[in-house]
Amino acid sequence: MGRATRVITAAACLTVSALLAGCGVSGTATPGEMDVRTLDSGSYPVDRYTYDQRAESDGPLVEGFRMADAVVPSNKVDSSLLIGRGGIVLEDAQQVVSVSHLSASSRPVLENRGFIVGYAASGSDLPDKGDTTDPNSTAVTIRLLRFPSADAAKLAARELEDADFNVALDQNRKLTITDYPDAYAHWRPGVPNIGMSMPRGEFVISVFASRPKADEKDLVSWVKKALDAEVPVVDAFQPTPADKIDELPVDPGRMLARTLVPDRDDQQPDQDKFAVYGRTPLVMAAADQNERQRLVDETGLDAMSKADTNFVFRVRDSAAGNKLVEGLIDTLGERWERGSAPDKLPDTTCAQLKRPGGADFPNRCYVVYKRYVALVLGSSESDAKRKATAQYALLANSL
């Protein structure tokens, strides 16, 4: 059983579109607001729109987006695990093995038991060293794996444990977890980590925890803490029936329709470029998950979308939106400084890297419109401002 590698936050994989030529925008003015028809937003489509397609063959992926809110960030396991290492949808059995680092022998188990989709998140109390956890850190990775039925999940949990245990059959030792008789756990004496699989309804909860020292009782206590945090969240989550997953809407709540893209044609669910999530992924990606969790709770954030290089967050109201912007800017760090916003564009704040170097997105702007907050990333100051202008028009037209 080896250490889990870093779970990369999906936002890091985004790519930027080319800067587009300018033109006017359509729309109507609401009393008391600016007439967005006067804004120059380039060739970005900013009229009211609806992505009304069903997920169809992308249903498992869309269900994976939903499952992000069924996995707790590590700070819920223990407040000391405040450094988010990211979250990711596990789209197939190979990705479960290669990204979340179950043993390779787990792949046939997943395939034979009808694995549908998964979600994994990880966190630590110390920053990573390169692409791996600091050996002096405590780190916890939780994987939630979906199967067609409770019976399939029960078989998969036992077989996943057997597959991982048998990798070092003569060295691994089985363990029990207090209060969780269905949990299968083991460790290798002298090695400071522990693996666990447990069925829960149609899911298998899989936990990997590592500590600075190899202590059996200590490792077991950390798995128990992970389950104490995760089980209630899984139990509260309503999975989509397996035979209805292809009917899931691609754009629940019209979040993607409010998110700026250069082209609306042929958009398909993609966890890096076209997805709707709940509130939890914003916490999982934070360098201080405790502070980010407070910000999410205080603003009432309940949904977020990502499309192309842009994001939209849904919060309680415009006051909460401004609070979210200030909180997000405060966490950017000393390498960033505030820049100028587009002329005459209300409730917009921009920031830029002090020393851009070779950064793909050295500029960004935050736009608040009623209960929506948009974040657009730009390859230059003019690019970010043009996107912010178009994004404001799109939000105004989308009511």
Side-chain angles (χ1 to χ4, degrees):
M1 181 171 56
R3 287 186 177 272
T5 59
R6 181 178 180 86
V7 180
I8 302 298
T9 179
C13 302
L14 294 172
T15 57
V16 68
S17 62
L19 184 64
L20 299 172
C23 69
V25 303
S26 61
T28 58
T30 302
E33 296 182 359
M34 73 153 51
D35 185 348
V36 297
R37 292 173 296 182
T38 66
L39 297 177
D40 179 4
S41 60
S43 60
Y44 288 102
V46 297
D47 57 310
R48 192 181 192 281
Y49 193 74
T50 299
Y51 295 103
D52 56 5
Q53 66 263 43
R54 305 190 320 176
E56 302 297 350
S57 61
D58 290 316
L61 181 58
V62 176
E63 181 74 349
F65 302 160
R66 296 183 66 244
M67 285 170 54
D69 273 354
V71 177
V72 292
S74 62
N75 68 314
K76 294 293 188 180
V77 175
D78 190 279
S79 61
S80 68
L81 305 181
L82 59 83
I83 299 175
R85 303 175 70 237
I88 188 169
V89 178
L90 303 172
E91 300 184 29
D92 53 39
Q94 178 56 42
Q95 198 170 32
V96 176
V97 171
S98 61
V99 175
S100 71
H101 272 224
L102 281 176
S103 65
S105 58
S106 301
R107 180 174 176 176
V109 174
L110 296 167
E111 293 172 342
N112 292 338
R113 296 304 170 197
F115 172 73
I116 294 174
V117 70
Y119 196 88
S122 184
S124 179
D125 62 344
L126 295 175
D128 283 0
K129 289 191 171 181
D131 290 331
T132 61
T133 54
D134 187 316
N136 296 312
S137 70
T138 297
V140 172
T141 297
I142 297 177
R143 314 173 189 91
L144 187 63
L145 311 175
R146 173 72 192 280
F147 293 88
S149 67
D151 287 342
K154 287 180 180 179
L155 291 170
R158 188 190 70 209
E159 292 168 359
L160 287 170
E161 163 65 12
D162 290 344
D164 200 27
F165 186 90
N166 292 338
V167 170
L169 183 62
D170 58 337
Q171 300 176 56
N172 285 329
R173 298 292 181 268
K174 292 186 180 294
L175 301 170
T176 58
I177 310 298
T178 304
D179 298 334
Y180 296 99
D182 294 335
Y184 301 98
H186 68 274
W187 82 310
R188 189 182 306 177
V191 179
N193 58 47
I194 183 173
M196 190 282 313
S197 294
M198 186 182 79
R200 197 74 178 183
E202 297 172 10
F203 297 102
V204 170
I205 301 170
S206 175
V207 175
F208 181 90
S210 61
R211 290 278 281 162
K213 294 182 180 180
D215 182 291
E216 176 183 329
K217 291 183 179 180
D218 175 70
L219 287 166
V220 167
S221 73
W222 276 90
V223 169
K224 184 179 183 303
K225 285 203 287 187
L227 289 174
D228 287 345
E230 176 65 13
V231 166
V233 175
V234 172
D235 289 350
F237 179 73
Q238 295 294 321
T240 305
D243 61 352
K244 301 292 184 182
I245 286 179
D246 61 348
E247 299 176 12
L248 283 168
V250 167
D251 187 18
R254 295 186 60 250
M255 291 292 293
L256 287 168
R258 291 178 164 90
T259 310
L260 191 69
V261 292
D263 189 346
R264 289 166 172 162
D265 292 338
D266 301 321
Q267 295 285 2
Q268 298 294 326
D270 183 308
Q271 66 174 311
D272 297 332
K273 298 181 180 179
F274 199 71
V276 178
Y277 294 95
R279 66 205 307 259
T280 310
L282 191 62
V283 177
M284 294 169 173
D288 185 338
Q289 293 184 108
N290 296 333
E291 183 60 35
R292 181 64 58 81
Q293 186 72 60
R294 282 192 289 271
L295 183 63
V296 167
D297 292 341
E298 289 173 2
T299 59
L301 189 149
D302 65 358
M304 59 178 286
S305 56
K306 58 172 63 177
D308 193 52
T309 61
N310 309 314
F311 302 78
V312 169
F313 309 95
R314 189 173 65 199
V315 294
R316 185 181 303 109
D317 51 31
S318 60
N322 285 299
K323 184 178 183 65
L324 179 66
V325 170
E326 291 304 311
L328 293 176
I329 289 178
D330 285 346
T331 62
L332 287 177
E334 296 181 355
R335 296 192 309 134
W336 290 80
E337 61 184 358
R338 292 181 187 247
S340 62
D343 292 340
K344 300 180 181 179
L345 198 65
D347 295 319
T348 301
T349 305
C350 297
Q352 60 195 23
L353 279 170
K354 295 177 182 178
R355 297 182 178 181
D360 291 334
F361 308 114
N363 296 81
R364 57 180 55 196
C365 291
Y366 303 83
V367 180
V368 179
Y369 187 85
K370 300 189 183 299
R371 65 178 304 201
Y372 297 94
V373 176
L375 165 61
V376 296
L377 308 183
S379 58
S380 65
E381 181 179 11
S382 60
D383 183 31
K385 288 183 176 181
R386 177 61 56 82
K387 288 181 178 179
T389 301
Q391 180 65 79
Y392 184 91
L394 176 58
L395 290 173
N397 287 332
S398 296
L399 292 180

